Amino acid sequence: MSDPQRPRASLRTAVVWDVLEDALDRRAKATGKDCLDVLDTGGGSGNFAVPVALLGHRVTVVDPSPNALFALERRAAEAGVADRVRGVQGDIHGLFDVVEPGGYDAVLCHGVLEYVDDPAEGVRHAVEALRPAGALSLLAAGLGGAVLARALAGHFTEARRALTDPAGRWGEGDPVPRRFTAEQLTEVVDAAGVEVGAVHGVRVFADLVPGVLVDTEPGALDALLRLEAAAAELPAFHSVATQLHVLGEKRG
């Protein structure tokens, strides 16, 4: 199946989608089930939930925004997967007020840890929702990408502040409450009982390349997507990625 958000937005999702689709396929083969139970925490309007449902899996989306859940319902209906997508209002800290622990073959935790009071607790809850050997897909803002972006924009003081700030913020106007290094994410995932399988840098180049070049130069988008895929697994590029993706398997 092709990336769910092509063409332009695929720069933000292509690497994660390819890794996630492969993980779901492996999990399905390991369990002998064609239809997995997938939990998408903070899944919003269904950028990943609907494509996952299109693969034939059941997806529960937990999100605090009623508007996002309404958009999810509409998107799922338009895609013909309304019977496989369920939206529930809630958040990662109160996860087990709305879903059962230990009931899912895979949990997506994308763009959540930046905004919660206790990221470690959030990861623990995501892992507790998994069945043994279930797959965890974690996506969070990367520190290095923000530092590089501020520096290239000429905001050197802000870049230095982000580099030294405990939360990785470049100033009071920073819209992202918290950023992470690859080491921080893998440590919190490991501590929660997950064996880390892979770490990927996401949007290593995409946020630095002028949009007009990608949109107008023939073949530029596909070439940039291939470059992103080639760099994603190389540790040297994790330190400059806008986002970091960790894929792991629950122990036991």
Side-chain angles (χ1 to χ4, degrees):
M1 181 177 176
S2 63
D3 180 83
Q5 299 295 313
R6 282 186 64 92
R8 188 67 176 93
S10 59
L11 290 171
R12 296 191 297 272
T13 61
V15 168
V16 179
W17 175 251
D18 288 345
V19 173
L20 177 61
E21 187 177 15
D22 182 61
L24 293 173
D25 183 60
R26 292 198 310 271
R27 178 65 177 163
K29 290 177 180 176
T31 60
K33 298 191 299 186
D34 293 328
C35 180
L36 299 176
D37 295 303
V38 179
L39 176 65
D40 189 354
T41 65
S45 60
N47 287 342
F48 280 90
V50 169
V52 167
L54 284 168
L55 293 176
H57 306 305
R58 289 183 296 266
V59 187
T60 299
V61 176
V62 176
D63 196 279
S65 169
N67 290 338
L69 293 174
F70 178 78
L72 167 71
E73 184 178 354
R74 184 174 64 244
R75 175 180 282 184
E78 291 172 351
V81 292
D83 59 326
R84 292 198 294 274
V85 177
R86 180 173 73 103
V88 183
Q89 190 172 359
D91 60 35
I92 191 77
H93 286 313
L95 187 61
F96 301 118
D97 294 334
V98 294
V99 302
E100 292 295 322
Y104 295 90
D105 298 291
V107 172
L108 282 56
C109 186
H110 295 173
V112 173
L113 298 190
E114 299 92 325
Y115 300 96
V116 298
D117 294 332
D118 188 342
E121 182 187 65
V123 174
R124 287 196 299 271
H125 284 187
V127 175
E128 287 171 17
L130 283 168
R131 292 168 178 151
L136 175 69
S137 175
L138 181 69
L139 182 68
L143 170 63
V147 174
L148 184 61
R150 299 317 287 175
L152 291 178
H155 303 300
F156 307 121
T157 300
E158 291 180 350
R160 185 175 180 275
R161 178 169 176 177
L163 191 60
T164 57
D165 183 71
R169 304 187 75 229
W170 49 255
E172 294 302 319
D174 192 337
V176 179
R178 188 181 290 105
R179 295 184 177 88
F180 303 87
T181 64
E183 292 74 19
Q184 288 172 330
L185 288 178
T186 54
E187 284 175 7
V188 74
V189 166
D190 178 73
V194 168
E195 189 71 33
V196 176
V199 179
H200 295 86
V202 180
R203 290 155 59 191
V204 174
F205 307 103
D207 291 351
L208 305 176
V209 175
V212 64
L213 187 152
V214 178
D215 293 334
T216 60
E217 187 73 19
L221 176 61
D222 286 336
L224 183 53
L225 283 167
R226 289 193 294 271
L227 177 61
E228 289 279 355
E233 290 191 65
L234 301 177
F237 290 99
H238 295 168
S239 59
V240 294
T242 299
Q243 292 178 307
L244 294 163
H245 182 244
V246 178
L247 182 73
E249 184 177 291
K250 184 177 181 178
R251 297 190 187 99

